[in-house]
């Protein structure tokens, strides 16, 4: 009974638009206030919050955030876009496809979907509009393709899933490679179909291609080489055993500083203070949410919510397929109304054992969960990517969501394929 009251109160707070971190904190102390026999002190909750964020794997998140900010300021996304445009721009839907591939590679640098939308969108949107692409289509494409930032490794949500469930972060990173490529391929196929149907301004595009190619292949490659090398260094350090994911995140910060300060010379020493402040502003809200979510998850454990949820599902559903469908629907709904970080920290410890009891590999379920929540980045009412893309182009959020609907359908198709064919996620492990 107490568990039900707590969950209802949590939903009410979310509907009242109480900030998620504050809502989690309120819910953590609520059981003791509602039922005096539930003797959990405020000191226990505070210790849980500090203990939850005292985690070595968790250090990777602020490091990847800092690395992503440095790369964004250093113009890495522009150089990646130029390299891919050099090869793709002259083909049908070449520029939109270059945007998707740039998001794929930039996601392998930042580990964040909103950061990918902001960095790639601010650079590529003016180019797409200049070349005559529809503003709504361009905005929707960047919003959806930005979701690759949390699927392709390294991924902040995968780090959180590993922290919440004990799953190997390195294996989660590997498991995200083919799903990320699959989604990118589907988005490129849609871009080709859209441009075939609605046409492109071939003359303007060719002028842009000629201008780009006038610099010469080796000049473009030389400019983009260091940017292309970034994911190779980060992931290479992890999978060769040279560094853990956290250590690789630190390496990525120093590499980002090196190429931005000394190779591209796009930032100066005096800019570092502002970069640090921006990184802190980005990570601090996440940190508070993480701490509150850890305390909340421990309260749920004491209330035996995971056991009750597991018992209810296993007693009422015997088909793994049915359970998987229900959990996917749940995650899609959660992704619409809740940020990825608390959603993973709250639900992963509850849902992962349930799916494991039906024979699903926790690594595959981690990918399924992150893909579900990535779809939430482009679905109202929360849809973080939609809001960021809207700020870039001033296209209303719901207009972007409507234009992105065919692409969201493709994301759902990719999700179904990942659920039905475990090999998509587990081949590299």
């Amino acid at each position: 009974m107490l568990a039900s009251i707590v969950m209802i109160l949590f939903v009410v707070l979310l509907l009242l638009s109480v900030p998620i971190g504050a809502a989690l904190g309120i819910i953590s102390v609520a059981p003791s206030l509602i039922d005096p026999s539930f003797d959990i002190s405020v000191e226990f909750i505070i210790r849980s919050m500090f203990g939850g964020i005292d985690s070595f794997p968790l250090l990777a998140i602020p490091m990847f955030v800092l690395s992503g900010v440095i790369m964004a300021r250093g113009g890495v996304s522009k150089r990646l876009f130029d390299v891919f445009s050099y090869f793709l721009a002259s083909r049908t839907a070449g520029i939109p496809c270059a945007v998707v591939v740039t998001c794929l590679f930039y996601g392998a640098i930042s580990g964040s979907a909103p950061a990918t939308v902001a960095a790639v969108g601010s650079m590529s949107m003016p180019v797409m509009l200049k070349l005559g692409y529809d503003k709504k289509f361009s905005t929707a494409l960047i919003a959806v393709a930005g979701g690759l930032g949390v699927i392709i490794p390294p991924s902040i949500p995968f780090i959180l899933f590993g922290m919440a469930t004990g799953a190997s972060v390195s294996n989660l990173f590997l498991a995200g490679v083919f799903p990320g490529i699959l989604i990118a391929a589907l988005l490129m196929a849609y871009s080709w179909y859209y441009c075939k149907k609605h046409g492109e301004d071939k003359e303007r595009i060719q002028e842009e291609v000629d201008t780009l190619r006038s610099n010469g292949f080796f000049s473009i490659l030389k400019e983009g080489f260091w940017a292309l090398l970034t994911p190779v260094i980060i992931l290479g350090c992890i999978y060769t055993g040279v560094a853990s994911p956290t250590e690789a995140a630190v390496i990525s910060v120093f590499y980002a500083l090196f190429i931005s300060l000394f190779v591209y010379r796009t930032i100066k020493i005096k800019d570092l203070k502002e970069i640090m402040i921006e990184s802190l502003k980005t990570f601090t809200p996440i940190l508070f949410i993480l701490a509150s979510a850890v305390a909340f998850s421990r309260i749920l454990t004491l209330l035996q919510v995971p056991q009750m949820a597991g018992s209810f599902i296993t007693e009422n559903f015997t088909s793994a397929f049915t359970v998987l469908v229900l959990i996917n629907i749940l995650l899609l709904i959660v992704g619409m109304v809740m940020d990825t970080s608390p959603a993973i920290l709250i639900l992963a410890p509850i849902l992962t054992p349930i799916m494991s009891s039906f024979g699903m590999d926790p690594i595959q379920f981690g990918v399924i969960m992150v893909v579900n929540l990535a779809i939430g980045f482009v679905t109202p009412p929360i849809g973080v990517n939609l809001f960021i893309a809207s700020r870039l182009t001033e296209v209303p959020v719901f207009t972007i969501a409507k234009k992105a609907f065919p692409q969201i359908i493709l994301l759902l198709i990719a999700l179904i394929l990942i659920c039905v064919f475990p090999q998509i996620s587990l081949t590299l492990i």
Side-chain angles (χ1 to χ4, degrees):
M1 181 64 181
L2 181 59
S4 300
I5 294 173
V6 168
M7 297 308 296
I8 291 170
L9 181 58
F10 180 53
V11 173
V12 170
L13 289 173
L14 291 180
L15 292 175
L16 292 174
S17 299
V18 175
I20 185 70
L24 291 169
I26 293 169
I27 292 300
S28 297
V29 300
S32 297
L33 299 176
I34 296 170
D35 184 358
S37 65
F38 189 79
D39 189 19
I40 298 298
S41 65
V42 174
E43 289 80 4
F44 172 82
I45 294 171
I46 293 173
R47 284 199 305 271
S48 298
M49 293 176 73
F50 279 97
I53 59 177
D54 183 17
S55 166
F56 181 71
L58 195 60
L59 285 173
I61 298 177
M63 292 297 102
F64 279 126
V65 169
L66 177 57
S67 175
V69 173
I70 295 169
M71 293 281 188
R73 292 291 189 92
V76 169
S77 58
K78 174 68 168 65
R79 287 165 174 82
L80 288 172
F81 183 67
D82 284 347
V83 171
F84 300 131
S85 295
Y86 185 94
F87 292 102
L88 298 173
S90 59
R91 302 175 183 273
T92 300
I95 296 295
C97 288
V99 169
V100 173
V101 180
T102 303
C103 287
L104 187 73
F105 269 74
Y106 195 83
I109 296 171
S110 70
S112 164
T116 302
V117 174
V120 178
S122 60
M123 171 276 308
S124 61
M125 184 58 68
V127 176
M128 294 189 73
L129 297 181
K130 174 186 172 184
L131 296 178
Y133 289 98
D134 178 68
K135 191 175 185 179
K136 296 175 185 176
F137 163 74
S138 303
T139 309
L141 178 66
I142 289 170
V144 176
L148 293 168
V150 298
I151 300 169
I152 204 74
S155 160
I156 291 174
F158 281 149
I159 296 171
L160 294 174
F161 185 89
M163 172 190 166
T165 64
S168 167
V169 174
S170 297
N171 284 345
L172 286 165
F173 282 180
L174 278 173
V177 173
F178 285 156
I181 293 173
L182 170 64
I183 291 171
L186 289 174
L187 292 178
M188 292 170 70
Y190 173 75
S191 298
W192 181 88
Y193 166 79
Y194 182 91
C195 292
K196 269 288 187 182
K197 181 178 179 181
H198 297 278
E200 297 175 280
D201 191 333
K202 293 292 187 181
E203 290 185 8
R204 270 198 277 186
I205 293 172
Q206 192 58 50
E207 288 177 9
E208 189 73 15
V209 171
D210 292 340
T211 302
L212 181 64
R213 290 183 175 177
S214 65
N215 297 319
F217 170 71
F218 288 103
S219 175
I220 297 293
L221 183 61
K222 180 183 175 182
E223 281 290 297
F225 174 77
W226 296 96
L228 291 168
L229 200 60
T230 307
V232 176
I233 290 176
I234 296 172
L235 300 178
C237 286
I238 295 172
Y239 300 130
T240 57
V242 172
S244 68
T246 301
E247 292 162 343
V250 176
I251 291 170
S252 75
V253 171
F254 283 98
Y255 181 75
L257 283 171
F258 172 74
I259 65 172
S260 298
L261 284 170
F262 304 113
V263 178
Y264 296 142
R265 298 180 182 178
T266 44
I267 64 173
K268 296 179 170 52
I269 296 294
K270 66 179 182 180
D271 298 326
L272 294 182
K273 179 181 177 181
E274 188 178 344
I275 288 171
M276 293 291 184
I277 292 172
E278 183 179 344
S279 301
L280 286 172
K281 286 181 177 179
T282 301
F283 177 67
T284 303
I286 298 175
L287 185 65
F288 180 65
I289 291 172
L290 293 177
S292 301
V294 170
F296 180 53
S297 65
R298 292 186 182 178
I299 294 298
L300 291 181
T301 301
L302 292 173
L303 290 171
Q304 297 188 323
V305 171
Q307 294 89 331
M308 288 189 289
S311 298
F312 174 80
I313 291 175
T314 53
E315 289 172 6
N316 291 277
F317 302 97
T318 57
S319 167
F321 174 79
T322 303
V323 173
L324 183 58
V325 170
L326 291 174
I327 287 179
N328 273 306
I329 293 172
L330 170 65
L331 290 173
L332 287 170
I333 294 171
V334 168
M336 293 180 186
V337 298
M338 187 183 293
D339 189 59
T340 304
S341 299
I344 290 174
L345 291 173
I346 293 168
L347 294 176
I350 297 174
L351 299 179
T352 304
I354 294 172
M355 293 313 303
S356 295
S357 69
F358 283 95
M360 177 173 285
D361 190 302
I363 299 297
Q364 185 197 1
F365 181 67
V367 175
I368 290 171
M369 187 171 198
V370 170
V371 172
N372 269 290
L373 296 175
I375 295 172
F377 280 118
V378 286
T379 49
I382 299 299
V384 177
N385 284 13
L386 297 177
F387 285 93
I388 294 174
S390 177
R391 286 204 299 268
L392 293 175
T393 61
E394 299 183 354
V395 176
V397 167
F398 281 94
T399 301
I400 302 172
K402 182 178 179 181
K403 195 70 175 180
F405 183 74
Q407 299 169 63
I408 294 172
I409 295 299
L410 291 177
L411 293 182
L412 292 172
I413 291 171
L415 175 62
I416 292 170
L417 292 174
I418 292 165
C419 290
V420 174
F421 301 105
Q423 299 87 347
I424 296 175
S425 304
L426 304 178
T427 297
L428 295 179
I429 298 176

